[in-house]
Amino acid sequence: MTAQIIDGKAFAAEVREKVAGHVSRLKQEHGITPGLAVVLVGEDPASQVYVRNKGKQTIEVGMSSFEHKLPAETSQEELLELLDRLNADPQIHGILVQLPLPSHVDEELVINRIDPDKDVDGFHISNVGRLATGQKSMVPCTPLGCLMMLRDQRGSLSGLDAVVIGRSNIVGKPMAQLLLGDSCTVTIAHSRTRGLPEVVRRADVVVAAVGRPGFVRGEWIKPGATVIDVGINRIEAPEKGTNDDGSVKTRLVGDVDFDGAVQVAGAITPVPGGVGPMTIACLLANTVTACCRANGLDEPEGLTA
Ligand code: NDP
């Protein structure tokens, strides 16, 4: 048996299309344009690429994009003042502060300054609490994308055994909460977990968010399980040759040994082209949701948890 490969790129394009449809209705029927503000402090090259992609996709779905690029030496006070202005601006429905922030800035303080209703990353402590207590919240984008793919793949998740490998605040923990919300029996595994292969072997749903290339072995997977690989790891790829400076070329791989797992699983996300593209699509989905909530309108179906 060979697993179905879940096409995250195509799925993300569908999500963006749904978002664009809602944006167009909000504009036509209510005269409202959802707006997303992205704040970048400093010149981290990877963050600059992310912010550029976010801005581009925001505009493509018809929303307003507000980019605030601040120098690395921006003080914490200046950043907090900017957030206060964005919080008060009715044209802005979503605010995202690109992480990591420079070391002189208290990340937690900054995130918790964002109005929770505009916190489209879902990292504000109020949203963490709302998610944990089953209330309406803003849900972190990567786990939301994983949940959408799982629901699409499996239909109802009720009663399934799920294992989430990784317990970070941005992926593992919210992912586990979402699966619990959909009535899975959830195990959260981490670096101290004993007998991980056996834990994984029981699971109908495996979400790997570890940050170690090929860590989850194919022989751990239960036949027919759905495997969602969140990991993004860059490894050397000597088969691709060398760069102009003589260094070995690289490629991206996930946390799952894809070649092994694809022989056993029922469905699996590839890396790249699986979970990755869903993250920005879900950021856009969260912005539309925030905009609808702010205006007392029905939330878009299929774009929230
Ligand atoms: P963290 O480093 O914050 O968390 C990694 C988790 O893996 C920790 O909870 C850690 O356990 C656990 N872990 C480490 N080693 C083992 C082990 N040997 N056995 C079991 N568990 C282990 O990473 P993130 O959650 O931020 O990210 C995980 C991966 O997902 C990374 O590759 C990252 O690049 C990727 N990612 C992808 C995104 C996307 O858009 N697709 C978005 C965000 C992340 P412990 O807590 O005990 O240390």
Side-chain angles (χ1 to χ4, degrees):
M1 186 174 79
T2 308
Q4 181 200 331
I5 315 288
I6 300 173
D7 185 344
K9 228 172 142 183
F11 201 101
E14 277 175 36
V15 171
R16 286 197 303 274
E17 207 171 298
K18 273 192 209 164
V19 169
H22 285 291
V23 171
S24 155
R25 272 192 293 282
L26 280 167
K27 283 181 177 172
Q28 278 169 20
E29 293 169 20
H30 304 280
I32 301 166
T33 303
L36 172 64
V38 175
V39 180
L40 172 65
V41 186
E43 265 127 45
D44 178 59
S47 295
Q48 283 180 328
V49 174
Y50 288 138
V51 167
R52 206 175 314 128
N53 285 339
K54 283 168 188 167
K56 190 167 155 271
Q57 294 190 29
T58 304
I59 290 163
E60 276 168 8
V61 295
M63 304 200 288
S64 300
S65 169
F66 304 87
E67 278 182 20
H68 294 267
K69 293 185 178 160
L70 309 177
E73 56 277 10
T74 302
S75 72
Q76 182 169 291
E77 219 29 60
E78 285 171 310
L79 185 53
L80 294 176
E81 278 166 24
L82 170 63
L83 290 176
D84 289 344
R85 286 200 298 281
L86 298 176
N87 284 340
D89 186 340
Q91 279 186 301
I92 289 169
H93 306 94
I95 303 171
L96 178 146
V97 177
Q98 183 66 47
L99 302 177
L101 288 168
S103 55
H104 66 275
V105 178
D106 180 344
E107 219 161 80
E108 213 173 303
L109 186 76
V110 167
I111 295 302
N112 288 324
R113 188 70 158 243
I114 300 171
D115 177 346
D117 295 336
K118 294 190 178 188
D119 167 40
V120 279
D121 247 346
F123 295 159
H124 190 291
I125 194 72
S126 294
N127 281 316
V128 176
R130 288 179 195 172
L131 178 61
T133 51
Q135 298 174 52
K136 255 187 200 177
S137 64
M138 281 288 133
V139 177
C141 302
T142 301
L144 178 59
C146 296
L147 181 75
M148 284 183 188
M149 292 196 287
L150 282 167
R151 283 176 175 168
D152 181 69
Q153 174 63 33
R154 305 286 305 222
S156 168
L157 303 179
S158 180
L160 296 181
D161 270 312
V163 62
V164 179
I165 315 172
R167 56 174 162 178
S168 71
N169 290 334
I170 62 167
V171 188
K173 282 183 198 149
M175 187 73 243
Q177 295 287 3
L178 289 171
L179 291 168
L180 195 59
D182 269 26
S183 299
C184 289
T185 302
V186 183
T187 303
I188 306 175
H190 45 78
S191 64
R192 306 296 172 90
T193 298
R194 293 188 194 153
L196 185 58
E198 284 68 43
V199 173
V200 174
R201 209 163 279 133
R202 285 198 301 270
D204 306 300
V205 167
V206 180
V207 181
V210 187
R212 291 177 167 224
F215 175 74
V216 177
R217 310 305 305 164
E219 58 270 23
W220 299 2
I221 304 294
K222 176 177 174 177
T226 305
V227 179
I228 305 289
D229 191 350
V230 183
I232 301 177
N233 308 288
R234 191 167 282 286
I235 60 164
E236 287 193 345
E239 72 279 7
K240 286 170 72 178
T242 51
N243 296 306
D244 291 344
D245 64 1
S247 59
V248 177
K249 289 204 169 170
T250 59
R251 66 189 172 97
L252 293 181
V253 296
D255 287 342
V256 178
D257 156 34
F258 184 85
D259 293 342
V262 77
Q263 304 298 328
V264 196
I268 184 167
T269 58
V271 177
V275 175
M278 288 296 286
T279 299
I280 297 183
C282 287
L283 173 70
L284 305 177
N286 275 349
T287 305
V288 172
T289 300
C291 178
C292 291
R293 287 180 186 167
N295 288 283
L297 300 169
D298 287 343
E299 287 177 21
E301 260 187 47
L303 295 181
T304 53

